Amino acid sequence: MLQTFKEMEASLDEKELGLASLKIGLKVDQEGEDPEKTLSFASRALKVLESEPALLVAIALQLMILDKDNSKPSLLAAMALQFMGSASYMLKKFNDSLGYLNKANRVLVRLVLDGNIDVEDIKPMLHAVQHELSNVKTAMGRREEAIENLKMSLEIKEMTLDKDNNDLAVAHRELAEAYVAVLNFKEALPFGLKALEIHRSSVWKYYVEVAYDRRLLGVIYNGLEEHEKALQQNQLSQKVLKKLGLSSDLLREEIDTSNMHLALHKYDEAIDTLKGVVQHAEKDSETRALVFFNMFISMTEDLHIKEKYTDSKWCLDIACGILANNETVSLVKAVEAYSELAMQYSFRVESERAVSLLKRMLPMLENLPQQQHFEGSVSAEMGFLLLCHRKLPEAITYLESAAEKFKQCFGSEHFAVGCMYDNLGVAYFDLDRPQSAVERFAAAKDILDVALGPHHKDSIQTCQNLSKAYGAMGSYSLAIEFQERVIDAWESHEPSPDAEYELVRARRCLEQLKAKTGGASIEQEESWNTTCYPLTLPDFPLKPELNKHVV
């Protein structure tokens, strides 16, 4: 076909060239083998279409897109824009792809609103555009926005497909995975359950899909800290995979089982499960190496709980050596493994080793454009560790980078952005720059009050930090105002020993602030009254299916 096009190209006029380019571009795009060629033909077709609007009618007629009255010429332009967006996405030209797809979406919406076309006629194309917009935004780290496009895509499928259609079930599962990726397990659960319901009720008996649904539900229940339910879903999934003889998927499920045992503090069961995986994994395979890595990580945690700290450290160092000797594993798995190692070293207060491992991860993540959120998480953890060790200028660099990544990925109002602003405030406070600290703490408070609620412990801690920063500036009236808010929040907090302790501290801090406004000097201030404390950030999963350790 391409050879024929080359032979005819010189003899074609612009109108014929536009039609031929579009037809060939659509064909190449369907095959999905050469996005460069797809983009080339799409660009050529669109150039002709935009320069000669009258040509739209003729081309659309030949493609049987238009009605007999030739009243819907813009639909062809939308089609060209859509597969240009698709090709640009495959070439990782995400900004270009987003522009083409947004323009295609606007054209389609305008056609419907103007009454030029019945929405029923273009539902498949509307679905394709929404789904591709979701993919592009996910690749750009704009996951919250991507979820909205994915929801619209699902709504269109619900209107066009049978209730027991496999594609509809997969669409529900994709949306559940998208929510898991932003740690919204509560929203993910109903979509995961719906996917399972459709697959189980279908006359086609999608056994493999049922296993995958249960695997995802295991991740969701783990995120909701319902570990027994997670383990149950995982075991049911394994039964299906054993019947079907899917050994690679089964090994993966067994590794998940060991992780769930760890979440339930059943360390012996976790290690026994991994031993079974080792016996079935091929010698010198990537799976076998990663299983050994997981096994030593599990032993590290088990020995640490048993207060055998020397042995625990020995197992951790072995795990580090296994990874160093198997860096040829897939990039995603290498990143996951380094993340686990960094967390373990950080937990054992070996911050320099943890920071070194995290720094090693950042160049890897640059080659994983869809994991910008995790790149932000790595920068956040590095900033936190450096902050705790008072390497403040370097900490600020990583914290600011993390804040920008989180804003790109989750929006400027996400709680992760608020956490970064709070930690930046702590860094500036420790640098004796209270004005800069106040600005960061105030921004953090605005975000966390909305995202978490004013009575969440992190929101209260940020309010406390803001009070201390105002006190350091000598703005005692504002310091007292926010300190009183801290007290009110702790008084309204769910009763607990920690809440009671924090309430006593907050009241003591208020007394000292009031004493200062009266001109009294306090010879010995308690350290907690003049220290701001950073917030820790929950781990962000690298992939929707990631539980705790590498898979």
Side-chain angles (χ1 to χ4, degrees):
M1 182 177 65
L2 294 176
Q3 183 61 37
T4 302
F5 177 82
K6 287 182 180 179
E7 293 172 357
M8 297 174 58
E9 187 175 2
S11 61
L12 295 175
D13 61 25
E14 282 298 304
K15 294 180 181 181
E16 294 169 330
L17 190 61
L19 174 59
S21 296
L22 186 57
K23 284 183 174 180
I24 294 175
L26 287 168
K27 180 65 176 177
V28 174
D29 182 57
Q30 289 172 354
E31 294 173 352
E33 295 179 358
D34 196 337
E36 286 280 7
K37 286 183 180 178
T38 300
L39 187 59
S40 174
F41 284 112
S43 300
R44 205 166 189 176
L46 186 64
K47 184 178 180 181
V48 174
L49 297 177
E50 289 182 334
S51 63
E52 295 191 39
L55 182 60
L56 290 171
V57 175
I59 295 177
L61 274 171
Q62 294 183 58
L63 293 178
M64 294 183 294
I65 294 175
L66 300 181
D67 290 333
K68 293 180 180 179
D69 61 358
N70 304 333
S71 61
K72 307 164 189 175
S74 294
L75 188 59
L76 189 55
M79 183 182 295
L81 286 163
Q82 183 220 329
F83 70 76
M84 286 181 70
S86 175
S88 297
Y89 169 75
M90 289 186 286
L91 293 169
K92 301 190 186 310
K93 298 179 179 179
F94 300 128
N95 283 324
D96 291 345
S97 178
L98 185 61
Y100 290 133
L101 292 171
N102 276 331
K103 191 172 181 180
N105 191 50
R106 288 195 297 270
V107 170
L108 292 171
V109 170
R110 190 173 68 247
L111 281 169
V112 174
L113 292 178
D114 291 347
N116 292 328
I117 194 167
D118 189 338
V119 68
E120 295 295 326
D121 296 335
I122 58 169
K123 277 183 178 178
M125 191 170 180
L126 283 168
H127 167 265
V129 170
Q130 291 299 323
H131 197 271
E132 288 174 4
L133 277 169
S134 174
N135 290 338
V136 172
K137 289 178 180 179
T138 297
M140 298 175 74
R142 294 160 60 174
R143 290 176 175 264
E144 295 284 359
E145 294 179 41
I147 286 175
E148 295 305 312
N149 293 111
L150 204 55
K151 287 170 69 175
M152 294 177 68
S153 169
L154 174 59
E155 290 171 2
I156 295 171
K157 280 199 169 185
E158 287 178 325
M159 292 186 286
T160 57
L161 299 177
D162 294 335
K163 292 183 178 180
D164 64 346
N165 189 286
N166 179 53
D167 289 343
L168 183 59
V170 171
H172 277 89
R173 188 170 65 209
E174 284 183 352
L175 187 52
E177 290 173 342
Y179 275 118
V180 168
V182 295
L183 304 184
N184 194 338
F185 301 105
K186 184 178 179 180
E187 291 290 338
L189 182 59
F191 293 103
L193 291 171
K194 186 64 177 179
L196 178 62
E197 177 190 332
I198 295 173
H199 279 137
R200 291 188 67 191
S201 64
S202 173
V203 296
W204 299 104
K205 303 298 181 185
Y206 297 108
Y207 294 115
V208 175
E209 299 297 340
V210 167
Y212 294 158
D213 293 338
R214 291 195 183 282
R215 173 178 168 77
L216 177 61
L217 285 170
V219 175
I220 293 171
Y221 281 125
N222 260 343
L224 294 170
E225 297 187 1
E226 297 183 38
H227 301 302
E228 291 289 357
K229 287 185 178 180
L231 186 59
Q232 180 186 31
Q233 292 293 335
N234 185 267
Q235 290 170 341
L236 290 170
S237 177
Q238 284 189 54
K239 288 182 180 179
V240 175
L241 294 173
K242 284 180 181 178
K243 288 181 180 179
L244 298 175
L246 299 174
S247 57
S248 60
D249 286 321
L250 182 59
L251 290 176
R252 190 176 182 179
E253 290 288 344
E254 289 176 341
I255 293 173
D256 280 352
T257 299
S258 74
N259 291 333
M260 292 172 191
H261 282 311
L262 286 175
L264 292 166
H265 305 293
K266 297 179 179 179
Y267 297 103
D268 291 338
E269 289 91 334
I271 292 172
D272 288 342
T273 301
L274 289 172
K275 287 179 180 177
V277 178
V278 170
Q279 292 175 358
H280 293 97
E282 295 181 10
K283 186 177 180 181
D284 299 326
S285 68
E286 176 182 302
T287 299
R288 191 179 181 89
L290 292 176
V291 168
F292 274 119
F293 175 86
N294 267 342
M295 185 179 296
F296 278 101
I297 289 292
S298 301
M299 292 168 64
T300 294
E301 295 189 9
D302 183 26
L303 292 167
H304 190 86
I305 292 293
K306 294 175 180 177
E307 298 184 358
K308 297 180 179 180
Y309 302 119
T310 301
D311 292 341
S312 174
K313 174 65 166 54
W314 177 74
C315 288
L316 182 58
D317 289 341
I318 289 179
C320 191
I322 291 172
L323 182 58
N325 291 325
N326 289 275
E327 285 193 335
T328 57
V329 300
S330 70
L331 187 57
V332 170
K333 291 179 179 179
V335 168
E336 293 171 8
Y338 274 115
S339 174
E340 179 65 35
L341 281 175
M343 184 187 73
Q344 292 292 339
Y345 280 113
S346 175
F347 181 65
R348 285 155 185 77
V349 201
E350 294 192 35
S351 298
E352 289 189 6
R353 187 76 177 271
V355 169
S356 175
L357 290 167
L358 290 168
K359 285 183 177 179
R360 194 163 185 171
M361 290 170 61
L362 287 177
M364 297 181 183
L365 289 167
E366 290 176 359
N367 295 316
L368 295 171
Q370 291 187 334
Q371 305 301 337
Q372 289 187 52
H373 64 299
F374 193 72
E375 187 177 345
S377 186
V378 170
S379 295
E381 180 66 16
M382 291 172 66
F384 179 82
L385 292 172
L386 293 165
L387 178 60
C388 291
H389 288 269
R390 297 191 60 77
K391 296 181 179 180
L392 303 177
E394 192 175 2
I396 288 173
T397 299
Y398 286 109
L399 292 171
E400 287 179 340
S401 175
E404 287 303 311
K405 286 293 181 185
F406 289 143
K407 280 194 284 188
Q408 293 172 15
C409 294
F410 306 119
S412 58
E413 302 302 314
H414 195 271
F415 76 89
V417 179
C419 289
M420 293 304 96
Y421 282 147
D422 180 88
N423 290 356
L424 281 166
V426 173
Y428 284 118
F429 186 89
D430 289 349
L431 285 171
D432 294 324
R433 295 172 57 182
Q435 179 64 52
S436 296
V438 163
E439 293 172 2
R440 302 312 190 279
F441 288 140
K445 184 180 182 303
D446 289 343
I447 294 171
L448 296 178
D449 280 354
V450 173
L452 304 177
H455 294 156
H456 189 278
K457 63 182 180 64
D458 288 345
S459 302
I460 301 172
Q461 180 61 59
T462 298
C463 190
Q464 178 73 82
N465 286 344
L466 184 56
S467 173
K468 291 175 181 178
Y470 275 124
M473 290 175 60
S475 302
Y476 294 118
S477 59
L478 286 171
I480 289 172
E481 176 187 337
F482 284 100
Q483 193 61 38
E484 288 174 340
R485 294 188 194 182
V486 171
I487 292 171
D488 290 342
W490 282 123
E491 287 177 340
S492 303
H493 197 273
E494 183 178 347
S496 69
D498 288 343
E500 289 295 325
Y501 175 67
E502 294 295 341
L503 180 58
V504 170
R505 296 205 319 171
R507 286 170 174 165
R508 175 58 179 156
C509 187
L510 179 61
E511 291 173 5
Q512 292 186 348
L513 286 169
K514 288 181 176 179
K516 284 185 177 182
T517 59
S521 61
I522 301 173
E523 294 182 359
Q524 293 184 339
E525 292 187 88
E526 296 178 63
S527 62
W528 54 262
N529 190 34
T530 56
T531 302
C532 291
Y533 295 96
L535 302 178
T536 57
L537 186 66
D539 292 333
F540 279 76
L542 184 57
K543 301 183 297 180
E545 64 268 28
L546 182 64
N547 286 325
K548 186 177 180 185
H549 297 319
V550 295
V551 177

